[in-house]
Amino acid sequence: MANTSTTPPVRQHWAHQLLDWVDARFPLTPLWESQWGKYIAPKNMNFWYIFGSLSALVLALQIVTGIFLTMNYKPDALLAFASVEYIMREVPWGWLIRYMHSTGASAFFIVVYLHMFRGLLYGSYRKPRELTWIFGCLIFLSLMAEAFFGYQLPWGQMSFWGAQVIVNLFAAIPVIGPDLAIWIRGDYVIGDATLNRFFAFHVIAIPLVLIGLVVAHLMALHETGSNNPDGIEIKKQPKDPHTGLPLDGIYAHPYYSVKDVFGVAVFLLVFSIIMFFAPEMGGYFLEYNNFIPADPLKTPPHIAPVWYFTPYYSIQRATTTDLLYVLAAGVVVLVAFYWREIPRGLWRKLTLAVAAVLLVGFYFIEAKVWGVVLMGASVLFFFLMPWLDRAPVKSIRYKGPLYKTALAIFVVAFLVLGWLGTEAPTPAYTRLAQVGTLLYFGFFILMPWYSKADSHKPVPSRVTK
Amino acid sequence: MSQSTDATLAPGAAGAEAVDPERRRLLVATCIAGGAASGAVAWPFLASMQPSDRARALGAPVEADISALEPGQQMIVEWQGKPVWIVRRTKEMLATLTQDTAQLADPNSKRSEQPTAAQNEYRSLKPEYLVVVGICTHLGCSPTARFAPNDPSMGPNWPGGFLCPCHGSKFDLAGRVFANMPAPDNLPVPNYKYLSDTKLLIGDETKGA
């Protein structure tokens, strides 16, 4: 690299030369700068904004620990249970890797639920971030599938009977159900074929989908820019006359990098305490019955899904014939209530057709099918949030008492349903779960009304602190 | 192919924006053919998830020796990976079956699954022995025995029967489901026959290996 010219040579550091070499061939620097390095984020993002990066951290943790677990795990109905115990007792550090993975599963849902709650607080799903939200909902669905398949792998009693119940949900679908359930199981009962394919879904199929969705989620977010606790679009606010950048924005790096690193440190502290001292978390993270090998002839006296599925399990369980009468009445009332809002012509005909199908269906199709439908709907309603919310403001800071009350009721209903899902069903609990189910769906279905009827505070022109 | 080729290839050239209908038709035909081929290739993969020949062959009938079964006792045998219960019912247990059938969802087993020879009030070939598949017709859990009558945890006037731990469905001592339970139908009775007084053959000989 000798330079003989008269001007003093600007010798770049070898690392910069390497970067230039790469950038000439691959857009490494532009990619880093558009996605994080020069990404402008609102300056007022608060505590609730750490759960996105924490979810990414847990995803990485699950992938790494998962790879190492597959090195000793055997997806075979005769060997699976013992291979997990082998990992726990005989593989060097196997217990740590396995507890990281099992604690990571619950941690994943905790951070994702909090991340979603942040969206509900500050209206992160509103225009222009609808696709970011929908990609997020798809991530949530994939995560549920991933967790379900993963839970089968230790092949304990809860693995087996959990799979039995969930796969039988598909058998409830009229006409094609029974054949569909056999196709999913690959056998007439849950068995070796089922375990083997669930392993394939858990370690390769769903993770690939998850990673693709996470990339799409982040690309969509970095295209529109992040929302913030005020729900103000910083791109539409005054810009710095010198740089042309939004006055209310700061570079994600280093400002939010530092904040996220602090969040990661706190998270890992809590995570480590659970992993080392209470990996079973009193039977909530790892259920006691799953320490008994799968026995196709005997259902444990009390079965419940892992905590993160219990709200949905409660909704499914609450759907009895009595509830169908209430739902039928609810459909009629809702159509009458929203009738004036529905545009004339095709939309009204469509509404009547859907209502008629539901009413006939409630009468002729058994309750367990509707339990499955409601369980699916309870997740799918999240997808519709961008269009259900008609408030002129995004953030809860400027929303009125109606939305605040509705959100509070929704959170309580979600938690109560979750608790009921861990308990054995009694008539009183079933009633409570039915009330919870109605409140859960009421949050979504009544939102077009209450979000519009609510009183709203004026939104300031610039972000607050 | 035709002389318009050069015009469409050169950007900015006259006619570059024009659609060549012949090429467009070829493009559409290629997409349809390619799509159909991709769809057809999906079939082997989807079909590979069906039960294998080995799984299909495992439906063979099983024998059960009931000589050691005392009155009031239950035994479980495995058939096609499913629990099959054999309950030797006492006279008192049998008497409960005819008492109050109004509480049952399907007392005469009209929409439930059983061989015609067992479609009676006892749902069995011999009243004394009940043979049912112990899989709840709701979501497939295996109910547990609650034979003691008037069990306080089972609610008032409990005649004795079975309780599903998953969703709380209750069945009587003939595997008939009570009304307003999550389970829609009675427990299925498999095909079975007596090889001797103390030996049962469970499953259909005409099916499976």
Side-chain angles (χ1 to χ4, degrees):
Chain A
M1 293 296 287
N3 196 319
T4 51
S5 73
T6 48
T7 49
V10 183
R11 253 191 91 132
Q12 277 192 315
H13 189 269
W14 64 269
H16 284 120
Q17 288 180 4
L18 180 64
L19 189 61
D20 287 343
W21 188 90
V22 172
D23 276 337
R25 289 155 182 84
F26 176 83
L28 186 64
T29 301
L31 208 59
W32 155 250
E33 290 184 347
S34 68
Q35 296 302 309
W36 191 250
K38 292 270 158 58
Y39 176 61
I40 310 280
K43 65 181 183 184
N44 60 333
M45 297 207 292
N46 60 12
F47 159 77
W48 288 103
Y49 285 79
I50 59 169
F51 296 107
S53 57
L54 288 183
S55 327
L57 171 76
V58 180
L59 177 65
L61 186 74
Q62 292 302 82
I63 289 173
V64 172
T65 51
I67 288 169
F68 284 87
L69 286 174
T70 56
M71 293 179 190
N72 292 293
Y73 173 76
K74 300 230 176 352
D76 177 315
L78 295 174
L79 306 174
F81 188 87
S83 75
V84 173
E85 289 306 309
Y86 170 73
I87 290 170
M88 292 298 293
R89 292 153 197 246
E90 295 180 63
V91 174
W93 297 96
W95 60 272
L96 181 75
I97 297 171
R98 197 254 176 156
Y99 276 154
M100 259 186 210
H101 199 73
S102 64
T103 309
S106 280
F108 215 152
F109 277 91
I110 292 171
V111 294
V112 164
Y113 278 140
L114 292 171
H115 188 60
M116 291 167 76
F117 180 65
R118 192 280 319 276
L120 297 185
L121 279 182
Y122 300 134
S124 310
Y125 48 85
R126 297 292 296 274
K127 186 184 172 189
R129 298 182 186 81
E130 298 97 322
L131 278 180
T132 304
W133 177 258
I134 286 176
F135 285 131
C137 291
L138 289 170
I139 291 173
F140 179 52
L141 264 186
S142 310
L143 186 63
M144 291 176 100
E146 179 69 359
F148 167 70
F149 291 132
Y151 202 70
Q152 310 319 314
L153 304 186
W155 211 236
Q157 276 286 65
M158 299 309 277
S159 301
F160 182 90
W161 291 100
Q164 174 84 335
V165 168
I166 299 299
V167 175
N168 271 309
L169 291 179
F170 291 94
I173 298 168
V175 189
I176 59 160
D179 286 328
L180 180 65
I182 290 175
W183 180 72
I184 293 171
R185 287 190 293 254
D187 204 336
Y188 302 94
V189 287
I190 299 284
D192 189 60
T194 322
L195 174 62
N196 219 151
R197 65 186 50 189
F198 283 8
F199 177 69
F201 294 146
H202 182 74
V203 302
I204 181 74
I206 309 278
L208 285 180
V209 172
L210 259 178
I211 291 169
L213 286 171
V214 168
V215 169
H217 187 62
L218 291 176
M219 284 177 71
L221 173 72
H222 294 153
E223 185 67 27
T224 60
S226 302
N227 188 32
N228 59 75
D230 282 311
I232 296 169
E233 293 303 325
I234 58 163
K235 285 185 183 173
K236 291 184 183 166
Q237 300 311 321
K239 293 188 172 59
D240 186 305
H242 302 296
T243 61
L245 299 173
L247 277 177
D248 284 339
I250 48 173
Y251 283 121
H253 184 72
Y255 299 105
Y256 285 118
S257 303
V258 170
K259 181 186 169 185
D260 284 350
V261 165
F262 179 71
V264 164
V266 174
F267 169 80
L268 287 180
L269 187 70
V270 177
F271 184 89
S272 302
I273 291 171
I274 295 171
M275 183 179 68
F276 285 111
F277 299 107
E280 291 149 19
M281 205 63 180
Y284 283 99
F285 284 13
L286 288 171
E287 296 176 290
Y288 296 138
N289 273 318
N290 224 25
F291 291 89
I292 303 167
D295 179 355
L297 301 188
K298 196 171 173 295
T299 307
H302 172 59
I303 84 159
V306 208
W307 70 269
Y308 39 76
F309 287 139
T310 50
Y312 307 100
Y313 181 65
S314 266
I315 288 174
Q316 181 257 321
R317 216 160 51 164
T319 315
T320 62
T321 316
D322 322 355
L323 191 73
L324 292 186
Y325 294 121
V326 181
L327 292 180
V331 168
V332 173
V333 170
L334 278 174
V335 170
F337 185 69
Y338 281 128
W339 188 250
R340 290 179 61 195
E341 301 282 321
I342 305 167
R344 285 172 197 282
L346 182 67
W347 283 106
R348 287 197 171 178
K349 283 181 194 147
L350 213 61
T351 309
L352 286 182
V354 170
V357 167
L358 285 175
L359 290 180
V360 172
F362 288 150
Y363 190 76
F364 283 106
I365 301 175
E366 50 184 322
K368 84 171 170 186
V369 179
W370 290 106
V372 180
V373 172
L374 286 197
M375 193 162 74
S378 57
V379 179
L380 295 182
F381 262 112
F382 279 106
F383 285 82
L384 300 177
M385 285 293 291
W387 297 279
L388 293 174
D389 188 349
R390 304 287 172 92
V393 301
K394 281 188 196 135
S395 166
I396 196 159
R397 288 185 178 174
Y398 308 107
K399 282 185 173 178
L402 286 180
Y403 182 79
K404 287 177 184 167
T405 312
L407 184 62
I409 291 175
F410 176 75
V411 170
V412 171
F414 185 82
L415 295 175
V416 169
L417 285 170
W419 165 67
L420 287 171
T422 65
E423 296 288 313
T426 69
Y429 281 175
T430 303
R431 272 286 174 269
L432 189 57
Q434 289 171 334
V435 173
T437 301
L438 294 175
L439 293 175
Y440 182 101
F441 285 108
F443 173 74
F444 295 103
I445 293 178
L446 297 176
M447 189 177 286
W449 163 68
Y450 66 72
S451 61
K452 218 170 171 179
D454 215 352
S455 59
H456 300 99
K457 286 183 214 149
V459 181
S461 58
R462 295 278 302 274
V463 301
T464 57
K465 55 175 175 155
Chain B
M1 273 179 300
S2 69
Q3 287 174 340
S4 64
T5 310
D6 293 338
T8 48
L9 275 179
E17 304 296 319
V19 171
D20 179 341
E22 196 187 330
R23 289 190 148 202
R24 179 57 60 92
R25 220 175 299 127
L26 189 67
L27 190 68
V28 170
T30 309
C31 287
I32 292 174
S38 316
V41 169
W43 177 252
F45 292 95
L46 296 176
S48 77
M49 287 174 65
Q50 291 175 308
S52 64
D53 289 346
R54 191 198 292 164
R56 285 175 207 275
L58 285 177
V62 294
E63 280 185 24
D65 183 355
I66 54 172
S67 57
L69 200 62
E70 297 289 331
Q73 273 191 337
Q74 176 191 17
M75 61 181 277
I76 303 176
V77 294
E78 187 174 349
W79 168 66
Q80 294 188 337
K82 293 181 261 194
V84 172
W85 300 338
I86 306 169
V87 184
R88 186 168 176 189
R89 294 176 286 198
T90 61
K91 286 214 169 55
E92 296 77 40
M93 288 165 116
L94 287 171
T96 64
L97 298 180
T98 47
Q99 276 170 4
D100 195 4
T101 55
Q103 295 180 41
L104 302 171
D106 184 17
N108 300 316
S109 303
K110 282 186 180 149
R111 54 160 203 261
S112 301
E113 191 186 325
Q114 64 265 309
T116 36
Q119 192 178 356
N120 49 51
E121 58 195 324
Y122 304 112
R123 301 193 76 222
S124 59
L125 302 181
K126 291 182 183 177
E128 195 176 3
Y129 292 100
L130 171 73
V131 181
V132 285
V133 176
I135 293 280
C136 180
T137 52
H138 182 221
L139 292 175
C141 292
S142 187
T144 46
R146 294 293 171 94
F147 291 166
N150 301 316
D151 182 338
S153 67
M154 297 296 291
N157 303 322
W158 175 245
F162 303 92
L163 169 74
C164 183
C166 296
H167 293 71
S169 294
K170 294 171 185 172
F171 302 86
D172 76 355
L173 286 163
R176 292 180 295 187
V177 67
F178 283 87
N180 293 322
M181 292 293 158
D185 296 323
N186 300 338
L187 299 177
V189 178
N191 279 313
Y192 67 98
K193 66 177 186 183
Y194 285 87
L195 297 174
S196 70
D197 276 351
T198 57
K199 212 160 238 174
L200 284 175
L201 185 72
I202 295 159
D204 197 337
E205 287 177 302
T206 58
K207 285 186 193 164

